[in-house]
Every structure is written in C-alpha cells, then in structure tokens.
Amino acid sequence: MTLSDHIAAVGKPNRPEHHFTPAQGWMNDPNGLVYFEGEYHLFYQYFPDDVVWGPMHWGHAISTDLMHWTRLPDALEPDNQGMCFSGSAVVDKHDATGLFNGKQGLVCFYTAHRIIGPSDTDYVQEQCIAYSQDKGRSWQKYDGNPVISTPGFRDFRDPKVFWHQASQAWIMSVACGQSIQFYRSHNLLEWTLASEFGAGQGKHTQGPWECPDLIPMPIAGSDQTRWVLIVGVGACEEALGSFTQYFVGDFDGHTFTNENPADTVLMLDNGRDFYATQSWSGLTGSRTLAISWASNWLYANQLPHHGWRGMMSLPRQFTLVQTPQGPRVQHAFADEVHRCFSQEFETQEGVDLKAGQSLLLATEQNSAADYTAISLELSLGGCLQWALSEAGCSVLTIKRDDQGYRVQHRRTGPKVSEQYDKTYPCDYALPAINKKVLHIEVCRDRGIQECLVNHGQYSITSLDTCTVEVDIPAPTRLEVMAGSLKMDAVVKAKA
C-alpha cells in the first residue's frame, strides 16, 4: 500500500491540536528557524514519501503567532550534492553576501549529505547555502556550494549561524563527531575555523553530537550574561536514547569556555522526547524562543502513525536563572502559547484533597477541544499520583519527604515491535526539590504531554502513544495516595 493509499484508508489523520505535524510522511529536526517581516519560519527535516526516515528535504511552514501554521511548498530537495540535512537561517540585513542587490534577504545553511560508497555509512557531509529574495517563498541554492568542504571525517553537520556583535563577525557552530567546531565569516560565504569544544566535556556516548545552538542569555535579575551551548547527543542504547544537553559559559567570538566542571552534565529536558532543539534567529531584544522535535531515535521509526510521523514541541522561552550550582536554563511555554490557551480555558481555585480522594481534570463531555492545560500550585503532605492518560500509560508520582518534593515519571506503551517494546517504556525521577509549595504546569495534546516542574526548573516532554487512537484525550486524574493535597489555579478546558 502506498502512503497516499494509507492516508485515504485511515481518513483524516488523528493529529494533535497545537503541536506542528507534517501534512504526510516523515518529519524530524526543526531547521532554519528565523523571524522575518512579521513571520516565524519553521523549516524541518522531511521525507514526504514514507513514514520512516528517508531522503531528507526541508519542509516549510510560517506563522504569525507560533501556534497556527501555514504549510508552504518544500524549500529544499535532494540533488547531486546529496540530501539536505539540518541547519539554520539568518536575515542578511546589509547584503553581506552580495546576493540581494543591496537589499535584505534570507540565507539558510544546511548540510549536504552524499553517499559515496556501497553502504549507507559511506558518506560525505559538507556545509551549503541557499537564499531567498521573496520572504522565503522560493529558494535558490548557491552556485559556490559547498561553502565548507568535508574536513576528512564523516559526521560534520547541522550548521547554526548567528551574528556576534562584539567581534563583528558571523559565527557558525557545526557538530563534528563528538565535538563542536566554531567558524567565523564576514560575508556568510567564506569561513575560517576558529576553535573546537567538546573533548572531555559533558556527556559522551557512542552516538555523535548534533544540532548545536550557541545563544547569549542574560541571567534573570542581574546585569550579567552567559552563553549557552545546546548540543543534541545522537541515538545510543543507553536508557535515554537521543537526548539534549547544554553548557553554560563564555564565548569571545572565537572560543567557548565552559564555566562548570568538565564532567557536569546539564540536561535540557528530563523526558524522552525533546531533541534537536533550535532557537529562532531574527528576534529583537533578549528573548530566546526555541522548539524541539518531540521524539527519540530509539523508537521514532516504530511509533504508531496515521500516514504521518513526527511532531514538534510547543514553542518554549528559555531564560537563565541563578541557582546554588550556578546559572541554569529555565523553561516556560512561550507567551503565545498562554495567549492561545487563555481564550479557551477557565480557572478554578482552592481545591483540597485528603488521602484516598481523587479529582478528575478533563475536557467537558462532548467538548470539541482535544487538549488540556493545567497549572497547579501543590502543597502536599504525602504522596500524589497523577494519571496523565486514562489507561495509566503515563503517570506522575509526587512525594514529599524531609528532602522536599520527589517527582517520578513512568510511561508504558502498547506492544508494537521488539525495538519499540524495549525502548519506549521509561521510569525516572527528578532530583529532590526543596520547596514548601511545588508548581507544575502541563500542556496535554493528542499523543503528547509537556510538563514543567518548579516554574520550569525541570522539563519533562513525553509522547503518549496510548492516546493515538482516541478522538478526545483521556481525562487527567489526580489521586492522593497518602497525606493531603491543596491545589490552586486548576485550569481546564471549557465545553
């Protein structure tokens, strides 16, 4: 059965309401995130002809509010230089490239992945450019590609480019095996290697480093700024599979310096489905907006599907906050997410539960809404079990002891395949949170839930394939197993 036949057979895809998905086929990494003339551009790794990873295109969508997306024709397609792997985009405001006749335009950077031997593991990766003179509606590949040729090893990909004001140069971060190389340019076309970071730093597995993003972030409540280097760690057989770590330090236009001990591992998300994180360029001010692919390479190709596979997380805002351990990234759902939900949700306050009692948080019966957003302030005297899906496939357990709150997430799943059955279930716990009151915010959509704990100190992003066949998402049930619970600001969907 062809992909088109499958789509016709299953009818309308059972899609999440507020998480971006491809029209059909396969989607993974977000690419080329850029804001230009009132439009947010989202490009993404895309294979339109099947629901498993294949020859990579750049799909394309635009939005004015980050929540409602219009799909445009594919921006980039494979050619004789290879597939079009992940990358980034910038606004060339002053025509540094000379490609825009003195005007401004969009330039995207991507990795050309070319098979050169009989095996799929025999490949070359090089950095290339495409540009648009019409607000991203059409793209022309640069005649001088590649702008950076292969350095002699295979894994050399995912260029992220930004303007470094202090040193008056464009900077490109590129993943190279298990390190990140930094290049400099004054015209976006000619690049010089400046430095390399990664040896002995953070977490290393048998998987390559991928999808780097280097971002300046002010520390909240201070006049200090740090540079945050976000790095994806590719698929491995460890419990996390593919995951995203970050480093906090300084960047002088040439070299990134990690301010934490080299063996410190900072996880950007404590769930299993938050990968290839990228931020939007072209924004004014210090706001950091980012989005991630909501999946994991251990089971991404085995997930149940309806003629499409892959979704993005909700847009996030990252800030740096000072902690006893040093500056750390704090998550929040983008303001646009809250504005969207505030039009549809109402607030309740002052709910008390005792041991053995439970509360059902769900959309009203026969509601057309297929998402739920919940914000809780918990004052807990014992143990709380929070069933995020009706079948108990995804459960948060929150306990309070002398050390503070302990949050554990458990996920099970239906039997699909040997690889999926082995890697999809998970059970993990956050470090103890020493607070009297714990804040938890959950946005639940069809097939996914995103949970921010302690005002975004921790993020848990998790697919929920138990709801993939459900028309209306399962109710969310809070049950006090021991002690007592007091909740404020319970938000649920209107009818």
Side-chain angles (χ1 to χ4, degrees):
M1 178 182 290
T2 68
L3 182 60
S4 297
D5 290 338
H6 177 83
I7 294 172
V10 301
K12 182 180 178 180
N14 193 9
R15 298 180 184 275
E17 178 73 12
H18 288 298
H19 290 73
F20 182 82
T21 58
Q24 66 178 56
W26 166 275
M27 179 184 75
N28 56 286
D29 303 357
N31 299 154
L33 308 184
V34 63
Y35 180 75
F36 183 56
E37 296 188 357
E39 295 176 334
Y40 294 93
H41 291 261
L42 168 63
F43 302 88
Y44 48 94
Q45 291 286 274
Y46 184 44
F47 182 40
D49 299 326
D50 205 342
V51 290
V52 294
W53 186 92
M56 285 291 97
H57 301 53
W58 272 34
H60 188 194
I62 57 171
S63 174
T64 59
D65 65 0
L66 292 171
M67 295 298 288
H68 303 90
W69 295 93
T70 299
R71 298 184 185 91
L72 297 180
D74 295 350
L76 301 176
E77 297 181 350
D79 58 16
N80 58 7
Q81 288 188 311
M83 305 180 199
C84 300
F85 272 21
S86 296
S88 58
V90 298
V91 180
D92 185 3
K93 292 183 179 180
H94 306 294
D95 195 18
T97 57
L99 298 172
F100 302 108
N101 298 316
K103 300 178 181 179
Q104 61 180 355
L106 295 176
V107 182
C108 74
F109 301 81
Y110 65 97
T111 297
H113 174 94
R114 183 170 67 257
I115 305 296
I116 58 173
S119 170
D120 287 345
T121 60
D122 296 326
Y123 54 79
V124 167
Q125 295 184 340
E126 299 176 312
Q127 312 320 314
C128 295
I129 282 177
Y131 59 97
S132 173
Q133 299 173 328
D134 57 2
K135 294 184 63 176
R137 270 52 179 184
S138 63
W139 291 85
Q140 175 69 42
K141 292 180 179 178
Y142 178 54
D143 288 339
N145 283 336
V147 294
I148 306 180
S149 299
T150 175
F153 50 84
R154 291 188 309 167
D155 294 315
F156 178 57
R157 57 180 176 265
D158 309 338
K160 181 60 186 284
V161 175
F162 68 94
W163 174 253
H164 186 251
Q165 183 66 26
S167 67
Q168 291 290 292
W170 294 98
I171 306 298
M172 179 191 292
S173 309
V174 187
C176 306
Q178 293 199 7
S179 67
I180 304 299
Q181 289 186 347
F182 300 104
Y183 290 78
R184 291 172 57 85
S185 175
H186 294 287
N187 62 7
L188 293 170
L189 304 177
E190 300 166 305
W191 295 88
T192 302
L193 177 63
S195 66
E196 187 167 345
F197 171 84
Q201 302 282 332
K203 179 72 170 177
H204 291 262
T205 70
Q206 65 267 41
W209 283 14
E210 299 182 308
C211 304
D213 198 351
L214 183 59
I215 312 166
M217 294 189 197
I219 300 176
S222 80
D223 58 359
Q224 299 182 52
T225 295
R226 296 291 192 275
W227 287 81
V228 176
L229 176 61
I230 297 173
V231 177
V233 180
C236 63
E237 291 302 320
E238 297 186 12
L240 287 174
S242 52
F243 61 94
T244 304
Q245 65 178 331
Y246 70 94
F247 303 88
V248 179
D250 181 61
F251 182 71
D252 63 4
H254 295 265
T255 303
F256 176 80
T257 304
N258 182 13
E259 72 175 41
N260 291 289
D263 60 353
T264 300
V265 178
L266 304 178
M267 298 291 292
L268 191 61
D269 188 276
N270 293 86
R272 297 288 294 281
D273 300 301
F274 197 80
Y275 192 64
T277 304
Q278 292 286 283
S279 64
W280 265 274
S281 69
L283 301 176
T284 58
S286 60
R287 187 186 191 202
T288 298
L289 277 176
I291 202 168
S292 297
W293 177 45
S295 196
N296 193 301
W297 281 116
L298 284 185
Y299 44 76
N301 285 280
Q302 289 86 41
L303 289 168
H305 71 90
H306 288 267
W308 56 270
R309 265 201 186 110
M311 71 174 77
M312 298 300 176
S313 71
L314 290 173
R316 303 282 181 94
Q317 292 175 191
F318 294 154
T319 55
L320 271 184
V321 297
Q322 191 63 258
T323 75
Q325 295 75 37
R328 296 293 185 262
V329 172
Q330 180 173 278
H331 293 243
F333 296 117
D335 293 340
E336 290 83 353
V337 176
H338 290 287
R339 284 197 290 269
C340 179
F341 286 162
S342 66
Q343 299 172 11
E344 301 291 338
F345 291 82
E346 60 186 6
T347 300
Q348 300 177 353
E349 295 184 356
V351 180
D352 288 281
L353 294 180
K354 305 297 182 182
Q357 293 181 322
S358 64
L359 175 69
L360 194 66
L361 303 173
T363 56
E364 301 287 350
Q365 188 174 7
N366 298 324
S367 169
D370 58 0
Y371 53 94
T372 305
I374 304 167
S375 178
L376 302 177
E377 293 282 354
L378 306 179
S379 179
L380 188 63
C383 177
L384 166 70
Q385 184 167 292
W386 186 346
L388 294 169
S389 58
E390 187 175 24
C393 299
S394 186
V395 175
L396 280 178
T397 300
I398 306 170
K399 300 178 181 179
R400 187 176 178 185
D401 58 24
D402 293 340
Q403 302 300 313
Y405 287 95
R406 299 185 182 274
V407 179
Q408 182 178 18
H409 178 249
R410 185 187 76 248
R411 180 179 71 182
T412 59
K415 299 297 182 182
V416 174
S417 67
E418 181 178 355
Q419 173 72 8
Y420 177 93
D421 298 346
K422 174 185 175 183
T423 58
Y424 181 80
C426 58
D427 191 344
Y428 53 89
L430 300 180
I433 301 171
N434 186 14
K435 295 282 186 179
K436 291 183 179 180
V437 177
L438 183 67
H439 180 267
I440 296 180
E441 185 175 6
V442 172
C443 285
R444 175 175 173 76
D445 208 342
R446 187 177 280 126
I448 185 173
Q449 59 243 346
E450 301 183 54
C451 180
L452 304 184
V453 180
N454 199 27
H455 297 284
Q457 178 185 4
Y458 298 104
S459 169
I460 303 173
T461 304
S462 180
L463 295 178
D464 183 8
T465 58
C466 296
T467 64
V468 75
E469 301 290 347
V470 179
D471 289 332
I472 300 299
T476 297
R477 182 180 297 276
L478 290 170
E479 182 176 1
V480 177
M481 309 300 292
S484 62
L485 167 71
K486 181 178 180 180
M487 299 182 298
D488 291 310
V490 180
V491 187
K492 70 174 185 177
K494 289 182 178 180

